Amino acid sequence: EVQLVESGGRLVQPEESLRLSCSASGFTFSDRGMNWVRQAPGKGLEWISYISGSSSTISYADSVKGRFTVSRDNAKNSVFLQMNSLRDDDTAVYYCARRWFGEPAGAFDLWGQGTMVIVSS
Amino acid sequence: QSVLTQPPSVSGAPGQRVTISCTGSRSNIGAGYDVHWYQQLPGRAPTVLIHASTNRPSGVPDRFSGSKSGTSASLAISGLQAEDEADYYCQSYDSSLSGWVFGGGTKLTVL
């Protein structure tokens, strides 16, 4: 089955760190750029990070640059998001999403179910 | 404040046609980057409805259509059904931000 499954979300205190994982199955993972998108409670979607299939291209939204690091392990069909110095406004559902094949600015054609991160003291 | 601007809400009766606008700028839609549209049902992850401004992925009904002109794009939904009640988001790439941007989302209510 073609799917993405996120894990790792939990309640953490401000300034703590957390690592999210996204496990892919059913497609050639190394061929696909992958993204992280988050959605704060009751709010809209916010793109936060992209990593190309070979990890040669990585980008971040300004809101997380310098605090979050994206990586991937193609042998394990997984993409990760290391989140440091977490703040209250990082509270959100975090989705991983696959970029459309062969289109640099392509749509995100496959999404996971999301994992919830709550940052609160 | 989202980079792409959408109306917060639209509504229509079953069978009617509604449109959702998405206004960008010269660094995203106006720069020629494609616009994509997503549907998010309550409590669910988003799914792509329209990609590359006008294309429907397989499985998406032809009641949904997209268009793009200048710095704006639109999603049209014809023959409204109760199951279309959801949040809709537009998305594009922004060269100034070097990343993808989303609209703030539009809540569709089927009356």
Side-chain angles (χ1 to χ4, degrees):
Chain A
E1 182 183 1
V2 177
Q3 65 177 357
L4 299 171
V5 178
E6 302 94 336
S7 60
R10 62 178 176 90
L11 171 65
V12 296
Q13 296 199 340
E15 293 303 315
E16 285 190 347
S17 297
L18 193 62
R19 189 192 197 212
L20 304 183
S21 300
C22 171
S23 178
S25 59
F27 62 95
T28 305
F29 182 67
S30 59
D31 283 350
R32 299 300 197 102
M34 297 296 296
N35 296 270
W36 287 96
V37 177
R38 68 183 180 184
Q39 186 170 34
K43 303 297 184 181
L45 302 172
E46 179 189 15
W47 170 82
I48 58 173
S49 185
Y50 167 79
I51 183 168
S52 63
S54 63
S55 301
S56 59
T57 301
I58 288 174
S59 55
Y60 299 98
D62 288 344
S63 59
V64 305
K65 199 173 293 183
R67 299 188 301 124
F68 290 11
T69 302
V70 65
S71 62
R72 64 190 294 161
D73 183 339
N74 287 341
K76 295 183 178 179
N77 289 343
S78 294
V79 60
F80 309 100
L81 187 67
Q82 177 67 41
M83 304 186 295
N84 298 332
S85 303
L86 282 162
R87 310 187 302 221
D88 290 354
D89 62 358
D90 292 318
T91 294
V93 174
Y94 285 73
Y95 295 101
C96 65
R98 184 182 74 176
R99 195 195 69 185
W100 201 282
F101 182 77
E103 296 185 8
F108 300 168
D109 66 346
L110 180 67
W111 296 64
Q113 86 288 350
T115 187
M116 184 74 202
V117 173
I118 301 174
V119 184
S120 175
S121 54
Chain B
Q1 193 88 0
S2 301
V3 173
L4 303 179
T5 301
Q6 300 179 233
S9 63
V10 297
S11 62
Q16 286 189 332
R17 180 180 186 269
V18 297
T19 61
I20 299 172
S21 61
C22 175
T23 302
S25 66
R26 288 185 292 179
S27 61
N28 40 69
I29 300 174
Y33 291 107
D34 284 325
V35 178
H36 318 297
W37 291 90
Y38 300 87
Q39 179 190 62
Q40 187 176 33
L41 297 169
R44 305 293 298 274
T47 58
V48 62
L49 208 53
I50 298 288
H51 75 98
S53 303
T54 59
N55 298 295
R56 279 187 310 276
S58 60
V60 174
D62 60 6
R63 303 186 295 105
F64 296 89
S65 62
S67 63
K68 175 188 157 188
S69 178
T71 58
S72 296
S74 290
L75 172 70
I77 310 171
S78 60
L80 266 182
Q81 300 180 3
E83 67 203 50
D84 297 333
E85 197 161 279
D87 294 323
Y88 293 83
Y89 294 90
C90 62
Q91 178 202 33
S92 188
Y93 186 85
D94 192 286
S95 57
S96 295
L97 300 173
S98 298
W100 282 263
V101 290
F102 285 96
T106 299
K107 182 175 182 59
L108 169 62
T109 301
V110 180
L111 302 171

